[in-house]
């Protein structure tokens, strides 16, 4: 309480919600940080939040922005449009991917993404580094250098021919990440199963978008998650399984966490709200719903909700991977492209939080505290965004003010992204982020963007905090039980 201070900005009259508490307080902001919490605060600028919920600004931690896909197509959103759409959807910070492709260096990759992001984003940002070419130089020099510049999470793919790493390369990356305190993230699907089924489907003339679903069996996810967890356990490294889409996969994450391994899980909006039936829309419409892993079914949705409620998933993301429904995106290989020739991914960066609020909080599936954790706080802690993800003295004033009563019908036009469709067209949501601040400055207010591109700053992130995770010591790597061989860090 700093009742005598005059703050730059005060947010008055709102109900403050954090991952642990709900309380009535004014929030004082000075120099871009939260510097006061109390009643009767005064500031040079006042935001009246009476009747509203005041939450930590959302952190979108899985999105593809200004990124070439595995097959070369560029996402339709750049750092300007992607960040604006994220901000309208209640986010004050996001962490897209910087993708190393084979033949590229890591430093070169990060420099490239700096040039794509600088001066463009309206909210703060960092990058996860996709590692597709783990050469000796990358492992010994460039990954440590990436970590030193605040890129503290590395993602690998177990599928996609041009991106995937093999198990040995995966182990190398996990080991470097462990040494530096970085978190490895993995897209876990069995490549051989997918290509084997795909080839047979195509040979039998089944090329429509709906066949994307059977070409990615649930077993391909379960096998790869099991293998990824085993690799991480072998070297006792931290690993996040991204976009888990099956009960089997979620069960493996849960079991590993219960056993104390340093394993984390993420699921995404589309797996809770859409099904494979959406892939069976007329003509090529199903292409709009193609993502990997694919959409599943209603029993899967129910199981994923239960895992979200039980804490299996630390992060809930959009996996925004926007490709327009035209020749620049989904139809780049023509109007009759096979499911193998259509870019994977769908948009959703502006709807992740309204959907979770409406379907989660509004329908009594999760508490407001869980919403704060899943929308912001968990991602901040997991990804080393030390100044973000909570409402407390000294934190960045990254705040989203929600009107819990506002009801909207979703349309593509309202998304502020550079897309020509939304998979959630016509959905009705109750609860809407009406004001979003990044470092104390209104980014969104009154239904309008309030800052220029470039307001968002790059955020260097910290190492992962693994306190409370006992981990797993493989006896074969333990000198006490392997005849004294020191072979792993
Ligand atoms: O289909 C998806 N999810 N596309 C984006 C890339 C990825 O695998 O995350
Ligand atoms: Zn992926
Ligand atoms: Zn993704």
């Amino acid at each position: 309480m700093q009742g005598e201070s005059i703050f730059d900005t005060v947010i008055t009259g709102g109900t403050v919600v954090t991952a642990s508490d709900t309380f009535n307080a004014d929030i004082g902001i000075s120099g871009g940080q939260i510097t006061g919490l109390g009643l009767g605060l005064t500031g040079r600028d006042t935001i009246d939040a009476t009747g509203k919920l005041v939450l930590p600004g959302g952190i979108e931690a899985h999105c593809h922005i200004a990124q070439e896909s595995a097959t070369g197509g560029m996402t339709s959103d750049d750092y300007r449009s992607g960040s604006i759409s994220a901000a309208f959807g209640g986010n004050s910070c996001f962490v897209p991917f910087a993708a190393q492709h084979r033949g590229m260096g890591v430093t070169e990759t990060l420099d490239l993404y700096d040039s794509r992001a600088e001066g463009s984003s309206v909210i703060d940002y960092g990058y996860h580094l996709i590692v597709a070419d783990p050469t000796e130089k990358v492992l010994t020099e460039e990954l440590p250098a990436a970590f030193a510049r605040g890129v503290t999470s590395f993602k690998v793919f177990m599928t996609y021919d041009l991106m995937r790493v093999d198990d040995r390369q995966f182990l190398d990356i996990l080991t470097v990440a462990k040494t530096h305190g970085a978190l490895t993230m993995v897209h876990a699907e069995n490549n051989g199963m997918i290509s084997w089924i795909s080839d047979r489907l195509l040979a039998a003339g089944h090329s429509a978008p709906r066949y994307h679903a059977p070409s990615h069996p649930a077993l391909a996810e379960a096998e790869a998650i099991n293998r990824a967890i085993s690799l991480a356990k072998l070297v006792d490294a931290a690993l996040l399984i991204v976009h888990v889409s099956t009960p089997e996969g979620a069960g493996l994450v849960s079991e590993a966490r219960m056993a104390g391994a340093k394993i984390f899980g993420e699921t995404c909006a589309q797996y809770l709200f859409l099904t494979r039936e959406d892939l069976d829309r007329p003509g090529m419409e199903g292409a709009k719903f193609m993502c990997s892993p694919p959409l599943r079914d209603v029993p899967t949705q129910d199981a994923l909700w239960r895992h979200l409620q039980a804490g299996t998933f630390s992060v809930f993301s959009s996996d925004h991977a926007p490709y327009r429904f035209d020749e620049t995106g989904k139809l780049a290989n023509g109007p009759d492209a096979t499911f193998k020739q259509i870019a994977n991914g769908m948009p959703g960066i502006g709807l992740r939080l309204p959907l979770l609020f409406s379907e989660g909080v509004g329908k009594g599936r999760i508490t407001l505290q869980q919403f704060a954790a899943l929308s912001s706080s968990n991602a901040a802690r997991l990804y080393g965004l030390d100044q973000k993800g909570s409402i407390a003295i000294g934190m960045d004033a990254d705040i989203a003010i929600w009107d819990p009563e506002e009801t909207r019908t979703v349309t593509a036009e309202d998304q502020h992204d550079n897309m020509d469709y939304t998979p959630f067209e016509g959905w009705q949501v109750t609860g809407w982020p009406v004001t979003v601040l990044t470092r104390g400055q209104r980014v969104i207010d009154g239904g309008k963007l309030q800052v220029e591109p470039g307001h968002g700053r790059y955020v260097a992130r910290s190492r992962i905090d693994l306190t409370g995770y006992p981990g797993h010591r493989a006896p074969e790597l333990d000198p006490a039980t392997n005849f004294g061989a020191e072979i792993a860090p």
Side-chain angles (χ1 to χ4, degrees):
M1 170 77 179
Q2 299 185 8
E4 299 308 309
S5 304
I6 302 286
F7 298 95
D8 293 347
T9 305
V10 291
I11 301 172
T12 61
T15 301
V16 179
V17 176
T18 69
S20 59
D21 299 295
T22 300
F23 54 95
N24 293 322
D26 301 338
I27 299 173
I29 298 166
S30 290
Q33 294 191 336
I34 297 169
T35 51
L37 281 172
L39 297 174
L41 305 189
T42 52
R44 283 176 280 281
D45 180 21
T46 301
I47 300 173
D48 180 6
T50 305
K52 312 271 191 340
L53 302 174
V54 184
L55 285 123
I59 298 173
E60 169 60 80
H62 186 153
C63 52
H64 303 269
I65 305 291
Q67 185 198 319
E68 291 87 358
S69 73
T71 47
M74 181 56 107
T75 57
S76 69
D77 279 313
D78 57 17
Y79 275 78
R80 190 193 64 79
S81 62
S83 67
I84 290 172
S85 185
F88 272 103
N91 298 287
S92 52
C93 178
F94 68 162
V95 190
F97 292 93
Q100 180 206 27
H101 293 274
R102 294 201 183 133
M104 284 174 81
V106 159
T107 304
E108 172 193 356
T109 301
L110 293 175
D111 289 347
L112 176 65
Y113 279 82
D114 275 348
S115 73
R116 290 175 178 178
E118 269 167 14
S120 294
S121 183
V122 299
I123 56 175
D124 286 358
Y125 61 92
Y127 322 109
H128 311 290
L129 173 71
I130 291 174
V131 185
D133 198 0
T135 61
E136 194 58 25
K137 182 175 180 205
V138 164
L139 293 169
T140 58
E141 295 173 30
E142 294 203 300
L143 290 184
F147 187 85
R149 68 199 259 179
V151 177
T152 59
S153 42
F154 309 147
K155 180 181 177 190
V156 299
F157 287 89
M158 297 170 83
T159 187
Y160 295 131
D161 285 337
L162 295 174
M163 301 296 285
R164 71 193 172 99
V165 295
D166 64 26
D167 292 352
R168 190 190 161 125
Q169 291 172 317
F170 194 167
L171 282 169
D172 282 337
I173 293 164
L174 284 164
T175 306
V176 174
K178 179 186 175 183
T179 303
H180 293 275
L183 174 66
T184 304
M185 307 158 71
V186 63
H187 176 132
E189 287 187 287
N190 178 300
N191 195 57
M193 289 186 193
I194 293 168
S195 64
W196 189 88
I197 300 185
S198 299
D199 287 350
R200 273 158 183 76
L201 284 165
L202 292 175
H206 303 306
S207 65
R210 62 177 169 273
Y211 294 106
H212 177 65
S215 74
H216 287 246
L219 271 173
E221 178 172 283
E223 186 284 326
I225 290 179
N226 186 50
R227 184 157 36 103
I229 290 174
S230 302
L231 295 171
K233 282 170 70 176
L234 181 72
V235 293
D236 194 22
L239 180 67
L240 168 73
I241 320 293
V242 299
H243 50 47
V244 176
S245 70
T246 57
E248 296 85 350
L252 289 163
V253 172
S254 171
E255 190 186 323
R257 288 175 63 74
M258 283 303 295
K262 298 163 183 168
I263 302 298
F264 303 87
E266 173 203 73
T267 195
C268 301
Q270 51 271 38
Y271 303 115
L272 297 187
F273 303 124
L274 303 171
T275 69
R276 54 189 276 157
E277 300 309 319
D278 291 303
L279 284 161
D280 194 19
R281 296 198 185 198
M284 292 297 275
E285 285 283 307
K288 294 179 176 177
F289 297 85
M290 281 180 60
C291 59
S292 289
L295 304 174
R296 308 288 183 182
D297 54 18
V298 171
T300 296
Q301 293 181 340
D302 295 342
L304 294 177
W305 271 112
R306 285 198 297 281
H307 279 285
L308 200 70
Q309 292 158 334
T312 302
F313 300 121
S314 305
V315 212
F316 173 80
S317 304
S318 73
D319 194 2
H320 180 77
Y323 302 101
R324 292 169 68 94
F325 191 60
D326 63 21
E327 66 289 347
T328 68
K330 292 283 183 183
L331 306 180
N333 288 311
D336 300 317
T338 70
F339 68 87
K340 284 303 275 183
Q341 298 171 313
I342 296 171
N344 280 198
M346 63 174 78
I349 200 165
L351 289 169
R352 170 184 77 114
L353 297 182
L355 285 166
L356 184 66
F357 191 95
S358 189
E359 293 292 314
V361 178
K363 296 197 172 164
R365 290 173 166 130
I366 59 170
T367 64
L368 277 171
Q369 273 59 54
Q370 285 173 305
F371 180 77
L374 289 166
S375 63
S376 178
S377 310
N378 288 359
R381 301 293 77 81
L382 194 61
Y383 292 120
L385 289 158
D386 295 344
Q387 285 296 116
K388 302 196 184 287
S390 192
I391 294 184
I393 304 286
M395 302 296 278
D396 283 354
D398 283 20
I399 291 169
I401 303 176
W402 284 71
D403 181 343
E405 308 296 339
E406 183 167 339
T407 296
R408 294 211 179 184
T409 302
V410 171
T411 65
E413 294 74 45
D414 279 351
Q415 292 313 299
H416 305 278
D417 55 11
N418 191 28
M419 284 296 292
D420 53 358
Y421 78 92
T422 165
F424 303 100
E425 186 78 35
W427 275 64
Q428 208 176 66
V429 291
T430 299
W432 197 259
V434 289
T435 303
V436 175
L437 289 77
T438 295
R439 282 175 287 98
Q441 197 160 331
R442 289 176 177 86
V443 177
I444 304 296
D445 199 26
K448 291 198 165 47
L449 180 69
Q450 303 288 345
V451 295
E452 293 296 321
H455 171 65
R457 289 186 195 154
Y458 172 73
V459 186
R461 295 180 289 120
S462 304
R463 60 182 293 134
I464 185 170
D465 179 357
L466 292 168
T467 306
Y469 287 84
H472 177 270
R473 188 82 169 129
E476 297 81 359
L477 295 192
D478 186 347
T481 44
N482 74 358
F483 309 110
E486 297 276 2
I487 53 170

